[in-house]
Amino acid sequence: MALAEIRDDYLGLVRRRRIYGGLLIVVFVAMMVSGFRLADDRNAGGFWQGLHQIGDFSAALVTEAAQKWTNLPGHMLAAVPALIETLNIALVATLIGCLAGTALSLAATRGLARWPRLVPVARRLSDIFRAIPEIVIALVLIFILGGGPVPAVIAIAVHTAGAMGKLFSEVNENVDLKPVEGLASVGATWSQRIWLGVIPQVAPNYLSYSLLRLEINIRASAILGFVGAGGIGYELRNAMTFGQGKFDQAAAIFLLLFATIVVVDQISGLARHRLTHGAPA
């Protein structure tokens, strides 16, 4: 009798789960359809009317680049200074953002925070930094400070601080507190407990997440160039704005940016693997 009741309860639970899952799918599909229809109504010209032209730009770019392929190396070489500026923006923003994220994560981790009452404040601050897109911050700063790399650095660093604050705090939650408690028992200060008891445990994960964030920030700094924040994105926007006659330059910048991202991804991937799994024997 007890076995039959357990089976009936289990089957009832399965049926309820299927019903809830089906309802969620229906709601999701309805929201997708309604959202798409609303976006299509507000889109200039309509989505379906312009769907047949979706490949026109890429076809024109590839055609002109193929016709002027001898110009591509020169255009790529000319774009190298802008690429270096983009990499500098990403590196500086990642460094500042990760340092700020480390401070936020330590302030937001229960058991490690120096002022436990400020843990909710640090968490909400990290949420705010993470919730605001980089492009919004950059547009506001460009209006205030003018165009250039400084608004891009600040915008990316703010968003990075929020994202790293969240990721680093999750790493901190898994820290073994025995070394921290041992240091506290011999009179170590809070900074000494963190430096000697926490940082050695979390450093590999911190560095791994930081390298991953560097990859993201390189893409973000290139995108911010479209709104006047400097770097290779600004050069790409200028080339695309001129249209026909400059598509070979745009193609060269695309290729250079793509190659750079691939190289950085590979290098950071190898570095993260060595940090998390150690060097091969």
Side-chain angles (χ1 to χ4, degrees), residues 79-91 93-94 134-135 138-139 142 148-149 151-153 155-157 213-240 250 252-262 264:
V80 168
L83 176 64
I84 294 174
E85 184 179 9
T86 295
L87 294 175
N88 286 337
I89 291 171
L91 286 168
T94 302
E134 299 102 321
I135 193 167
L139 287 171
I142 288 172
V153 170
I156 297 174
R213 189 67 197 185
L214 176 61
E215 301 173 20
I216 299 171
N217 288 345
I218 291 174
R219 301 182 186 95
S221 60
I223 292 171
L224 291 182
F226 273 82
V227 298
I232 199 169
Y234 182 74
E235 299 296 330
L236 181 59
R237 187 194 67 173
N238 290 340
M240 293 176 64
I253 295 174
F254 271 127
L255 292 173
L256 181 62
L257 182 59
F258 175 75
T260 302
I261 291 175
V262 169
V264 172

Side-chain angles (χ1 to χ4, degrees), residues 19-65:
I19 292 172
Y20 293 150
L23 290 174
L24 286 174
I25 292 175
V26 170
V27 170
F28 177 77
V29 172
M31 292 178 65
M32 287 287 294
V33 172
S34 62
F36 179 81
R37 292 184 61 181
L38 178 62
D40 187 46
D41 291 339
R42 296 185 176 183
N43 185 47
F47 175 78
W48 299 111
Q49 288 80 359
L51 185 61
H52 67 282
Q53 300 176 341
I54 194 169
D56 290 354
F57 173 78
S58 57
L61 187 145
V62 172
T63 301
E64 186 169 336

Side-chain angles (χ1 to χ4, degrees), residues 127-221:
D127 292 341
I128 293 172
F129 287 168
R130 191 170 64 255
I132 304 175
E134 299 102 321
I135 193 167
V136 174
I137 303 174
L139 287 171
V140 173
L141 292 175
I142 288 172
F143 179 77
I144 298 172
L145 304 175
V150 174
V153 170
I154 297 174
I156 297 174
V158 169
H159 193 274
T160 299
M164 294 297 97
K166 175 64 175 178
L167 291 174
F168 290 170
S169 64
E170 292 180 356
V171 174
N172 295 343
E173 295 289 345
N174 297 318
V175 165
D176 184 5
L177 294 178
K178 291 181 180 179
V180 179
E181 295 169 353
L183 290 167
S185 66
V186 297
T189 63
W190 178 84
S191 58
Q192 290 172 334
R193 295 197 300 269
I194 296 299
W195 183 252
L196 298 176
V198 176
I199 297 300
Q201 298 184 59
V202 301
N205 285 326
Y206 274 23
L207 292 174
S208 177
Y209 283 134
S210 298
L211 289 171
L212 179 61
R213 189 67 197 185
L214 176 61
E215 301 173 20
I216 299 171
N217 288 345
I218 291 174
R219 301 182 186 95
S221 60

